[in-house]
Amino acid sequence: MEPTTMQVKHDFFPFIRVYADGHVERFKGTDVVPPSIESLSPVSSKDILINPSTSLSLRLYLPNHHPNKLPLLIYFHGGGFCTESAASPTYHNHLTTLSSDAHIAIASVNYRRAPEHPLPVAYDDSWEALQWIASQAQARERDPWLRGHVDLARVFLGGDSAGGNICHIATTLRIEGMVLVHPYFWGSAGADTLAEEERARHETIWKLICPTLAGFDDPRVNPFGLGAPSLAWLGCARVMVCVAEKDFMCEWGRRYGEGLKRSGWMGEVEVVESEGEGHVFHLIDPGCDSSKVLMKRIT
């Protein structure tokens, strides 16, 4: 018989494995790269610790050559709430490129991950990061990059997968716009499109990530679920929703765009669909033609 510390309680390979003693083994998104302050490169980056007690931090990206103050994109990484980080090579490389191509500053939030920190911890961390950034407009000791190079009157939110979900939850501040890339939305109706085994797997991992989740119609995962607030409350003027044809959550991204139009929200929404592609394909293969097209639309 296996020792208690080695007994597997939940196996979600190739993402995570949870053992009976609470230990979590991650199979992806564990590598990290340091920030880089290099005057000869197009973009510099640095880490900022926001809350020492929780280790909440963000990675700030800033193009090295710009004549005026830049708009700020606050970005929430994906990974199903349980993998990846703001320092992973996938997101560091992606956001360095995005900062350079779009000529914007980016603050990538390094929120705590489930299952060690189940939802709503990621939401709470993200909200704290938003408040900290907003406070920089009047703070006595402001971060020098934000003070000297960023226009805090032009703020956008963005994120992919779980990060897109966080954007939806967090968008109560008055901001310029929001970009949701393959957002993690789901509902009981959508579960009918999956095989029984795959549906059960998604249900199990969501119960682990958010033990208080009231099924797949909980408004935290289903923006149209029972008790979900009207989309008319979104605090931004523009929204872009990016979906991928072969992503099993594609239909929910489309519904979100249509729901915004019907809600009475007074902003502009655009739904961008990538044909023949799957979930977060632009991160998996950033050099493919579809990724280049998507990135051009976003920037």
Side-chain angles (χ1 to χ4, degrees):
M1 182 176 179
E2 292 180 298
T4 301
T5 55
M6 294 301 294
Q7 290 179 353
V8 176
K9 187 175 181 181
H10 299 289
D11 194 343
F12 301 115
F13 185 84
F15 301 102
I16 64 171
R17 182 176 291 149
V18 183
Y19 292 87
D21 66 350
H23 171 69
V24 177
E25 183 179 11
R26 289 179 169 85
F27 299 100
K28 61 182 301 184
T30 58
D31 293 338
V32 298
V33 294
S36 175
I37 300 177
E38 175 55 65
S39 60
L40 297 179
S41 66
V43 175
S44 290
S45 57
K46 69 174 181 177
D47 291 335
I48 301 174
L49 181 63
I50 294 175
N51 188 336
S53 66
T54 62
S55 298
L56 173 63
S57 65
L58 57 82
R59 179 162 291 187
L60 186 61
Y61 299 84
L62 189 69
N64 283 325
H65 305 289
H66 52 276
N68 303 306
K69 286 193 173 184
L70 302 173
L72 176 67
L73 171 67
I74 303 173
Y75 196 87
F76 304 102
H77 69 79
F81 296 101
C82 59
T83 65
E84 298 291 350
S85 73
S88 74
T90 296
Y91 286 98
H92 180 80
N93 294 336
H94 173 61
L95 295 180
T96 297
T97 300
L98 182 59
S99 177
S100 177
D101 290 351
H103 210 63
I104 56 174
I106 301 177
S108 178
V109 179
N110 200 41
Y111 55 85
R112 287 172 288 174
R113 300 170 301 185
E116 301 95 326
H117 304 285
L119 291 177
V121 171
Y123 297 141
D124 294 340
D125 283 355
S126 299
W127 179 246
E128 184 177 355
L130 287 174
Q131 290 180 308
W132 182 87
I133 292 170
S135 74
Q136 288 292 296
Q138 285 86 32
R140 287 186 177 181
E141 297 183 7
R142 288 180 285 175
D143 176 83
W145 284 20
L146 292 175
R147 180 184 66 243
H149 304 283
V150 175
D151 182 356
L152 290 176
R154 293 188 292 162
V155 174
F156 299 79
L157 295 188
D160 66 278
S161 194
N165 178 289
I166 293 174
C167 284
H168 164 70
I169 298 296
T171 311
T172 56
L173 295 175
R174 297 300 301 178
I175 59 172
E176 289 287 311
M178 179 169 69
V179 180
L180 308 182
V181 183
H182 311 161
Y184 201 125
F185 296 140
W186 197 237
S188 57
D192 295 338
T193 64
L194 295 177
E196 184 176 350
E197 182 178 350
E198 188 175 1
R199 182 174 66 248
R201 178 181 172 88
H202 281 289
E203 289 175 349
T204 302
I205 195 169
W206 261 106
K207 288 177 183 177
L208 183 67
I209 292 169
C210 187
T212 60
L213 187 76
F216 274 122
D217 290 319
D218 187 294
R220 284 167 287 190
V221 66
N222 181 353
F224 309 106
L226 183 64
S230 168
L231 295 180
W233 60 265
L234 284 185
C236 57
R238 291 178 286 163
V239 172
M240 175 183 284
V241 185
C242 302
V243 300
E245 181 186 18
K246 294 185 177 180
D247 182 1
F248 75 95
M249 288 177 283
C250 177
E251 182 58 32
W252 283 91
R254 295 193 195 104
R255 292 185 190 183
Y256 189 81
E258 291 301 316
L260 276 175
K261 295 176 183 178
R262 296 193 304 266
S263 69
W265 175 67
M266 301 302 292
E268 298 179 5
V269 59
E270 179 182 10
V271 178
V272 176
E273 182 163 349
S274 300
E275 296 181 356
E277 299 293 352
H279 193 64
V280 296
F281 69 91
H282 65 298
L283 299 176
I284 297 170
D285 187 5
C288 75
D289 290 342
S290 295
S291 296
K292 293 176 182 178
V293 170
L294 177 61
M295 291 300 291
K296 188 174 182 179
R297 293 294 298 273
I298 291 174
T299 57

